[in-house]
Amino acid sequence: MSWHLINWHRNQILQQEGASDAIWQKLINLRCLKGLTVEEFSRLRELAAAFLQDKKIYGAHDLQISDEMRISIALQACILILNLDLDYYRNWVEIIVYPGEFILDYDYADEYGVVHHVRRVASGEAWFAGPVILSWHDADTVNRPGYNVVIHEFAHKIDMLHEGPNGCPELHANMSAYTWHEVFSQAYEKFCRQVAKRQETILDPYAAESPAEFFAVVSEMFFELPLIVHQHFPSVYEQLALFYRQDPAQRWR
Ligand SMILES: [Zn+2]
């Protein structure tokens, strides 16, 4: 390789690294990363880089996946496991990103062996031991405080790993399954009553679908607007802080 060519290559690499560094720095401003210390952000960045090594991100319907989209998805997926482990996202590889909402169309058999057909519009979906599917339109959260489809789907991934999606991930040794169950069932039942009475709710009414959806929606809010969860669901906040080993409300103060 000639001297000129070596120099050209070196410049290309430096330019690429510089461009990617600018993207990482820009994405510090994601709402769910607010208040992270320099040390936490650098740990998150390492985790997100390892995540990107491990996962394949594909665009559907000709959607081009830019570096900024890849890094944004990785950072939001990894904020959940900042103080846990990449192992929570084991046994699957693909993330499929649609430009907007997409149609889910599949059959499944229930516990009695009856086959049901599902066809509905979705902004995100997480399959057990399979892909995470996201709508980029919905993943771009700038104007929708408290809403985060990436955090939502990755919370499902964490939940599913232990006894399927039931709103109870595998708890740490310093946690009590009894307390988790009490706290979450009470909050969920109260929330469902509010939704049934069509009262205004702090969380997206979709959280009333099932305990698994309640866990995913409240996890979104825990990272996006933690002070609200802390204020309105203090016991749930406490359990989530123990599970995720993070205190995002503290970061916002
Ligand atoms: Zn969900």
Side-chain angles (χ1 to χ4, degrees):
M1 211 185 274
S2 77
W3 179 84
H4 275 295
L5 208 52
I6 291 171
N7 234 9
W8 183 82
H9 269 280
R10 188 184 295 141
N11 282 339
Q12 283 294 101
I13 289 167
L14 284 176
Q15 263 172 23
Q16 266 169 21
E17 279 182 0
S20 136
D21 202 52
I23 297 171
W24 290 98
Q25 290 307 320
K26 177 184 165 191
L27 291 171
I28 287 182
N29 296 318
L30 285 168
R31 194 183 302 107
C32 60
L33 309 185
K34 183 174 162 140
L36 288 180
T37 63
V38 173
E39 180 276 328
E40 284 168 330
F41 187 72
S42 105
R43 229 160 15 85
L44 179 65
R45 186 173 163 165
E46 275 173 33
L47 199 57
F51 174 90
L52 288 172
Q53 291 270 314
D54 194 42
K55 305 300 176 206
K56 300 266 176 285
I57 305 181
Y58 299 104
H61 294 173
D62 292 332
L63 179 69
Q64 295 293 317
I65 305 295
S66 66
D67 283 346
E68 183 168 337
M69 290 160 86
R70 286 164 48 78
I71 295 172
S72 172
I73 290 168
L75 284 169
Q76 294 177 74
C78 288
I79 187 63
L80 287 90
I81 53 163
L82 178 63
N83 294 329
L84 299 173
D85 198 298
L86 198 52
D87 209 36
Y88 279 84
Y89 299 149
R90 66 180 177 268
N91 297 341
W92 60 276
V93 172
E94 289 179 330
I95 298 164
I96 300 161
V97 187
Y98 281 80
E101 288 183 324
F102 49 90
I103 292 171
L104 286 170
D105 198 338
Y106 58 89
D107 294 325
Y108 76 96
D110 67 17
E111 56 192 308
Y112 306 105
V114 178
V115 176
H116 301 266
H117 183 76
V118 173
R119 186 179 162 87
R120 64 179 174 88
V121 175
S123 57
E125 182 81 355
W127 290 82
F128 179 71
V132 169
I133 310 170
L134 301 168
S135 142
W136 183 248
H137 176 73
D138 292 86
D140 222 359
T141 59
V142 188
N143 298 316
R144 300 180 66 180
Y147 179 82
N148 189 312
V149 71
V150 181
I151 291 181
H152 183 104
E153 298 310 329
F154 281 84
H156 279 317
K157 275 290 186 192
I158 290 172
D159 176 18
M160 277 174 192
L161 211 51
H162 176 66
E163 297 172 350
N166 61 1
C168 184
E170 184 161 22
L171 304 178
H172 311 304
N174 66 337
M175 297 179 71
S176 148
Y178 175 79
T179 308
W180 180 282
H181 186 75
E182 285 291 297
V183 163
F184 271 85
S185 336
Q186 276 177 25
Y188 176 65
E189 280 158 25
K190 187 175 164 195
F191 184 76
C192 289
R193 283 197 298 272
Q194 288 179 329
V195 172
K197 287 186 203 155
R198 299 186 186 275
Q199 291 170 350
E200 187 141 1
T201 53
I202 297 293
L203 301 175
D204 187 336
Y206 183 64
E209 285 272 310
S210 66
E213 293 305 339
F214 186 79
F215 171 71
V217 172
V218 82
S219 290
E220 283 176 68
M221 201 68 149
F222 177 76
F223 288 101
E224 283 278 310
L225 294 173
L227 293 171
I228 299 222
V229 183
H230 194 265
Q231 185 189 340
H232 294 272
F233 300 93
S235 314
V236 169
Y237 183 94
E238 195 184 344
Q239 292 302 306
L240 290 175
L242 281 171
F243 175 70
Y244 288 115
R245 295 182 172 139
Q246 296 186 52
D247 187 359
Q250 188 59 41
R251 302 203 284 260
W252 277 64
R253 285 194 187 104

